[in-house]
Amino acid sequence: MSARSTLRALPTLLRVGTSEAVAYRAEMVVWFLSTTMPFISMALWTAVARYSPVGRYDSQDFVRYFLATFSVRQITGSWVAWQMNYEVRQGTLAMRLLRPISPLWSYAAENLGYMPLRLVMVLPIVLFSVVQLGAGSLPRTAWGWLFFFLALLGGWLITFLANVAIGTLSLYIESSSRLMDVWFALFLVCSGYLYPVELFPPALKGLLDWLPFRYQIGLPVELMTNAHGLGEALSLLARQWAWVSVLLVVSLLSWKRGLKRFAAYGG
């Protein structure tokens, strides 16, 4: 299928994804409730910072940071690796391959189709943060808004493409769910999801700047809460999109090679 035909099909695929999200809205609410770890971190860190700031963070800064973390997590989430593992084991991936569009596009559209429902859940959190903590909960400048949306898109792309790259390994080793679990554990520790990356020791923070995890959650949250000036934000954004490029190449190559090994088995 040509790129032009794929672009024409995307609106329909997005509508299908949104319809699926509405049909499985109870499952969506359960997933929403399972991602409330930032609220627990917020309670712990605000208690620690009640009498003395931690780094540059006082109690209000921690509340602002973890409300932003929760919101960004809803927007940048993806579950394609687990879905691919299931479909390879069951043989239902063959049904996707029969369609006149790459399965990778349909996976992406299904993920993005959930976005309207996610935004409905996120907007009250963002409004609460702005009302309670002031305008610092959102970017203050035009370039800040532009960089924030680019970082949000880059964060979702890194998450999605990492899911594709690891999910594709199920075509080689039958199941890559455990590898995805390891990636997810590293994501929890290294991304800024449980605590801000800048609170790590300098040497470890320097290492995290070169790993992809920070750019899934940490960078969009930092740009949303005005943590960086223009020069530093530009440098971090360049590293994020370098990771997007690397993961795009890796995921496409592994997908094309993996399909040659696919055999629809299972019942």
Side-chain angles (χ1 to χ4, degrees), residues 83-179:
Q83 191 175 2
M84 290 176 70
N85 272 273
Y86 176 82
E87 293 184 358
V88 169
R89 284 201 309 274
Q90 297 298 315
T92 53
L93 179 62
M95 299 299 293
R96 288 186 185 271
L97 294 171
L98 291 175
R99 299 173 186 169
I101 188 170
S102 168
L104 298 186
W105 282 110
S106 61
Y107 285 132
E110 286 174 12
N111 272 218
L112 293 175
Y114 278 67
M115 206 61 75
L117 261 66
R118 293 182 182 187
L119 288 174
V120 168
M121 296 175 176
V122 162
L123 282 178
I125 303 294
V126 175
L127 288 175
F128 174 81
S129 181
V130 171
V131 170
Q132 291 296 317
L133 304 171
S137 299
L138 293 173
R140 293 194 180 101
T141 60
W143 67 261
W145 277 104
L146 174 63
F147 282 18
F148 168 63
F149 283 120
L150 285 173
L152 207 57
L153 175 61
W156 179 78
L157 282 171
I158 288 177
T159 306
F160 175 77
L161 292 171
N163 267 259
V164 170
I166 296 174
T168 301
L169 294 178
S170 61
L171 294 164
Y172 300 87
I173 57 175
E174 189 176 344
S175 175
S176 60
S177 295
R178 296 298 181 193
L179 288 174

Side-chain angles (χ1 to χ4, degrees), residues 22-226:
V22 173
Y24 295 101
R25 54 189 177 278
E27 182 180 321
M28 185 78 185
V29 171
V30 171
W31 184 81
F32 183 78
L33 295 175
S34 71
T35 57
T36 53
M37 181 61 77
F39 294 143
I40 298 173
S41 295
M42 181 171 66
L44 293 173
W45 283 101
T46 51
V48 170
R50 184 168 299 159
Y51 302 105
S52 176
V54 180
R56 67 175 181 85
Y57 290 88
D58 59 19
S59 295
Q60 280 202 345
D61 291 328
F62 275 123
V63 173
R64 186 180 289 117
Y65 179 89
F66 285 112
L67 289 179
T69 300
F70 178 80
S71 302
V72 169
R73 174 78 173 101
Q74 308 310 312
I75 304 299
T76 57
S78 178
W79 55 91
V80 173
W82 290 279
Q83 191 175 2
M84 290 176 70
N85 272 273
Y86 176 82
E87 293 184 358
V88 169
R89 284 201 309 274
Q90 297 298 315
T92 53
L93 179 62
M95 299 299 293
R96 288 186 185 271
L97 294 171
L98 291 175
R99 299 173 186 169
I101 188 170
S102 168
L104 298 186
W105 282 110
S106 61
Y107 285 132
E110 286 174 12
N111 272 218
L112 293 175
Y114 278 67
M115 206 61 75
L117 261 66
R118 293 182 182 187
L119 288 174
V120 168
M121 296 175 176
V122 162
L123 282 178
I125 303 294
V126 175
L127 288 175
F128 174 81
S129 181
V130 171
V131 170
Q132 291 296 317
L133 304 171
S137 299
L138 293 173
R140 293 194 180 101
T141 60
W143 67 261
W145 277 104
L146 174 63
F147 282 18
F148 168 63
F149 283 120
L150 285 173
L152 207 57
L153 175 61
W156 179 78
L157 282 171
I158 288 177
T159 306
F160 175 77
L161 292 171
N163 267 259
V164 170
I166 296 174
T168 301
L169 294 178
S170 61
L171 294 164
Y172 300 87
I173 57 175
E174 189 176 344
S175 175
S176 60
S177 295
R178 296 298 181 193
L179 288 174
M180 194 62 218
D181 291 342
V182 172
W183 173 280
F184 188 67
L186 291 171
F187 159 78
L188 291 178
V189 175
C190 304
S191 67
Y193 185 62
L194 299 179
Y195 28 81
V197 170
E198 63 186 88
L199 297 184
F200 279 92
L204 190 53
K205 177 182 173 298
L207 174 63
L208 296 183
D209 286 346
W210 293 99
L211 297 178
F213 307 106
R214 177 182 184 182
Y215 305 105
Q216 292 181 261
I217 290 281
L219 180 59
V221 169
E222 292 159 13
L223 292 176
M224 186 174 179
T225 54
N226 305 285

